[in-house]
Amino acid sequence: MSDPFFSRKRKRGPARNGRPIKPSPRQEEPSKDIADEEITDPETSDEELQDADTEGSRTTVESDDQSVESDDEEFVNETATEKRRRLAQQYLENLQNELNVAGFDARDVDKDILAARLQEDVAEEQGRLYRFLTPSFVFVRPVRKFLSYKGMLTPTAIAGAENILYTVSKDRTLAKWDATTGKRLRFKRGDHDKEIVCIAVSSDGKFIATGGKDRKINVYSPELGLLKTFTQHRDSVRCLAFRRGTHQLYSGSADRTVKSWSLDALSYVETLFGHQDAINDIAALAQERCITTGSRDRTVRLWKIVEESQLIFRGGGPTSGQKLRFVEGSIDAVAMVDHHIFVTGSDNGTLSLWTLQRKKPAYSVHLAHGLDTQLSPEAYTAEKVQFPTAPKPQPRWITCLTALPYADIVVSGSWNGIKVWRVVAEESERLDVDGVVAGGKRKQYSLDFVAEFKLPGVVNGVTLLENGKDEIRICAAVGRELRGGRWMRRDAKNGVHILTVKKKSV
């Protein structure tokens, strides 16, 4: 039985025209202080199976005029205070129902549980780091799984929602995996004309977007298959990200533009200009904004979609009190911790922590993944007369980054494996120019090393999945080559490594 997810295209109805391209947002500088059955061999079997997902990506909502009118008449004489009280009561009832589904009796729901949940909702609404999970988990000897299939080429990106993983690879294949059992559920090949280099999945798992060197963005639904192909970019699409909790998609390209898309309407929205080089990575959370890295223009830009403006953060130099051994030539990876903190990775191996209040990094870890091993004479020259000394070892650059939203866990990848870092926020006395205590407190941020996991090959993508509150899965797409080229080759097997970290027992 053919699988509509990977076999047939959806008939495209008339889509709404997107808004016209807006002029470049004004540039702002921050002040100085300031996401069944298994096919065993995709090469020999192209049969697609019916997807296990039951919810469609697009549902037609039929409006009932009579019901709407009756609802309006019921609350027509409601005051503002009564409306707030009604909405608050409805919100608490929803929380109680959610806890009941998880196995609790409404009579046993403690007020402290509701209060804690309310505090979490408020913190997430404000976009602040509020989940300090690192001390609660054991990162020693995690449960390991390796996922692969016959003929798999280098995986270039990975994304997931709940317990489902999606990977794309240089053989132009989109594969779907069950992170719990380790089985490959589906695969799709042929919708892109060239290599696929990036993927993103919406928070609810209803939309999957892929981008490649053919300049296309393909949008899929797990139930309906290929929904739409966008061709507005003028160069390869290098990165994709969904706005958390919505179906708004952001894309970055080698044409130096950022584009916004509405997948509910399957339409283009607008284009953002500003980067002076190819955009290598993009990240977004719940607010209507995204953050991008411009590779060799050595800038990170925070795009405020509503305000039509951007904040520019410039890399390339050392932070205060630290000496830079290797020059930062390109900023290639970015991940958002919350709406005010983000992390970047560079080609000189520097992992930097930034806040929106400063132009320069608040904290940097140089040579985060160490130096490459010293080359042998046969490796660095083919001449009979050897050079007197081998070239100096170069740093392993950071190939990918991810962070758990609103939590203190950051994971970086390179060609020696992955490392886990903890975001630390400490309060200190505010000092004046002369070093005298000026009153008040200020937060100082840093990154602490937590754990390292050696993986053979190049880590081209990494994502984090939460399995309830007791497990965190670190999923890494590892291959023989870098996702952007073939000038480096490692002795490794292409596939996905899943490391399951469990919570400490009380």
PDB file of all heavy atoms in Angstrom, residues 40 274 295:
ATOM      1  N   THR A  40      13.902  -2.269   5.018  1.00  0.00           N
ATOM      2  CA  THR A  40      15.265  -2.648   5.379  1.00  0.00           C
ATOM      3  C   THR A  40      16.300  -2.166   4.387  1.00  0.00           C
ATOM      4  O   THR A  40      17.445  -1.982   4.725  1.00  0.00           O
ATOM      5  CB  THR A  40      15.363  -4.170   5.492  1.00  0.00           C
ATOM      6  OG1 THR A  40      14.928  -4.764   4.260  1.00  0.00           O
ATOM      7  CG2 THR A  40      14.450  -4.659   6.618  1.00  0.00           C
ATOM      8  N   GLY A 274      20.532  41.755   5.029  1.00  0.00           N
ATOM      9  CA  GLY A 274      21.508  42.339   5.935  1.00  0.00           C
ATOM     10  C   GLY A 274      22.837  41.622   5.971  1.00  0.00           C
ATOM     11  O   GLY A 274      23.884  42.265   6.053  1.00  0.00           O
ATOM     12  N   SER A 295      28.331  33.330   8.669  1.00  0.00           N
ATOM     13  CA  SER A 295      29.601  32.679   8.358  1.00  0.00           C
ATOM     14  C   SER A 295      30.732  33.701   8.331  1.00  0.00           C
ATOM     15  O   SER A 295      31.093  34.248   9.357  1.00  0.00           O
ATOM     16  CB  SER A 295      29.512  31.860   7.069  1.00  0.00           C
ATOM     17  OG  SER A 295      29.116  32.663   5.982  1.00  0.00           O
TER      18      SER A 295
END
